[in-house]
Amino acid sequence: MKRSCYLFGLMLCMQHLSASADVANDSQSGFVNLPATGNTNSAYVLCDTSTNFGLSEKNASNSNQSSLGQCAVSDDKLADSPMNSPIDGFTLVGIISRGVPIPEPYAAAGGEEFATLTDTVWHNNDTKECIFGTHILMKDQTLANGKRWEINDITRGGFAGRPVAIAYFMKPKPNKDYGMPEALFRAGRTYTSVPYEKNGLTLPALQGAPAPTKAISKNQSAAMNENWVDFTTDISFDDADGVTKKMTSMLYIKTICEQRQPEEKEGAIRLRTTGGNGQDWLEIDVPGLVPFGATIERY
């Protein structure tokens, strides 16, 4: 089921989200630039690695905010409501909240919703920029093999030819029903997700990378792809590694938007299991909001 609001019905969407819940002004935030090209050894940047990519616990309410990594946004207004922009001067212009089903044969019944994905956009009329926000909440569903679906990477498209900066906000207090959100471990200007190599914090290399259209890499490498941004996290309703986080933090992409209103494109968001706990690789693509006029490739 999809619930959407473009200004109309905005208050209803806000209530739903509260229950789950090199660009201007970077000095005010934790936004980190992701160059599309340049003198770098990786398409990725590290964010919060203090939990060893989700294999150990951490409670943000008992931590200094600076320990959440270089990509973290710290702002009291975000704790008040996820509908507030992470940077001043941006106005909420679009929300889409949708259930995410998994097709057969992975989910035997078919059509069941395994997660709720919320796609949010804020716009700044003066700077002609947008911030795209992503949040996922897992549901109590099991796959056909009896295991839980785990999301390790969230990949968003539509950013070719545009500057991109990323950040995340981890709410400092647990939700009474779902607990703490998971942090953002790393983010990359790439289409390729890379399984986390246990006890290793080396970023995926450019050297030896598969084609830039490859969804999941077999080795610790990923090519640049300027149209895509990959967020690495670790969420599941009941995680096999024993450290369960049922929802993401708010994940942000800041970019240029010539038009105020975004577009919705099929396949703009890819949700991936990269097999860190022995699961099969799995990719689910869902529609998502993109800057007006953006293109989504179908690989």
Side-chain angles (χ1 to χ4, degrees), residues 240-257:
D241 63 23
V243 182
T244 295
K245 297 295 176 64
K246 299 178 182 179
M247 60 181 171
T248 65
S249 296
M250 282 292 292
L251 308 175
Y252 302 111
I253 299 172
K254 180 152 62 74
T255 191
I256 297 297
C257 284

Side-chain angles (χ1 to χ4, degrees), residues 5-6 10 13-14 17 82-86 91-97 117-123 130-135 156 250-253 262 269 288-290:
C5 56
Y6 281 54
L10 183 57
C13 284
M14 291 175 66
L17 290 173
M83 293 300 92
N84 288 322
S85 169
T91 301
L92 183 67
V93 295
I95 309 170
I96 291 180
S97 182
L117 184 151
T118 303
D119 197 357
T120 310
V121 184
W122 299 266
H123 184 263
C130 285
I131 298 174
F132 290 80
T134 310
H135 182 271
R156 296 196 61 137
M250 282 292 292
L251 308 175
Y252 302 111
I253 299 172
I269 299 176
L289 297 173
V290 300

Side-chain angles (χ1 to χ4, degrees), residues 141-158:
Q141 295 284 359
T142 55
L143 299 169
N145 60 9
K147 295 181 179 180
R148 298 283 186 176
W149 185 34
E150 180 175 306
I151 298 176
N152 305 114
D153 287 79
I154 301 160
T155 309
R156 296 196 61 137

Side-chain angles (χ1 to χ4, degrees), residues 206-219:
L206 291 175
Q207 186 174 6
T213 57
K214 183 73 171 177
I216 301 175
S217 176
K218 291 183 178 180
N219 56 29

Side-chain angles (χ1 to χ4, degrees), residues 36 56 189 208 288:
S56 57
R189 193 80 185 260

Side-chain angles (χ1 to χ4, degrees), residues 280-291:
D280 294 334
W281 288 358
L282 180 60
E283 179 184 69
I284 304 296
D285 68 87
V286 295
L289 297 173
V290 300

Side-chain angles (χ1 to χ4, degrees), residues 101-287:
I102 293 183
E104 298 180 16
Y106 304 102
E112 293 291 340
E113 294 181 1
F114 280 70
T116 299
L117 184 151
T118 303
D119 197 357
T120 310
V121 184
W122 299 266
H123 184 263
N124 187 313
N125 279 328
D126 295 328
T127 62
K128 305 303 179 187
E129 294 171 325
C130 285
I131 298 174
F132 290 80
T134 310
H135 182 271
I136 299 178
L137 174 67
M138 304 301 287
K139 294 190 175 185
D140 188 5
Q141 295 284 359
T142 55
L143 299 169
N145 60 9
K147 295 181 179 180
R148 298 283 186 176
W149 185 34
E150 180 175 306
I151 298 176
N152 305 114
D153 287 79
I154 301 160
T155 309
R156 296 196 61 137
F159 304 102
R162 303 170 188 269
V164 163
I166 59 89
Y168 78 102
F169 174 73
M170 177 186 281
K171 195 170 183 179
K173 294 182 180 180
N175 180 284
K176 64 183 179 66
D177 296 316
Y178 304 109
M180 289 295 296
E182 186 55 278
L184 173 63
F185 306 139
R186 65 188 178 204
R189 193 80 185 260
T190 180
Y191 179 73
T192 305
S193 303
V194 179
Y196 170 56
E197 194 172 56
K198 289 182 173 58
N199 302 316
L201 296 180
T202 303
L203 285 171
L206 291 175
Q207 186 174 6
T213 57
K214 183 73 171 177
I216 301 175
S217 176
K218 291 183 178 180
N219 56 29
Q220 292 295 304
S221 62
M224 291 275 192
N225 187 324
E226 69 166 352
N227 202 30
W228 296 86
V229 174
D230 184 282
F231 293 108
T232 303
T233 187
D234 180 28
I235 57 170
S236 175
F237 196 88
D238 187 6
D239 202 313
D241 63 23
V243 182
T244 295
K245 297 295 176 64
K246 299 178 182 179
M247 60 181 171
T248 65
S249 296
M250 282 292 292
L251 308 175
Y252 302 111
I253 299 172
K254 180 152 62 74
T255 191
I256 297 297
C257 284
E258 295 81 1
Q259 300 289 331
R260 174 185 175 92
Q261 200 76 354
E263 291 185 281
E264 185 180 11
K265 296 275 190 177
E266 292 291 329
I269 299 176
R270 315 293 170 90
L271 309 176
R272 295 173 178 157
T273 304
T274 58
N277 292 315
Q279 305 98 331
D280 294 334
W281 288 358
L282 180 60
E283 179 184 69
I284 304 296
D285 68 87
V286 295

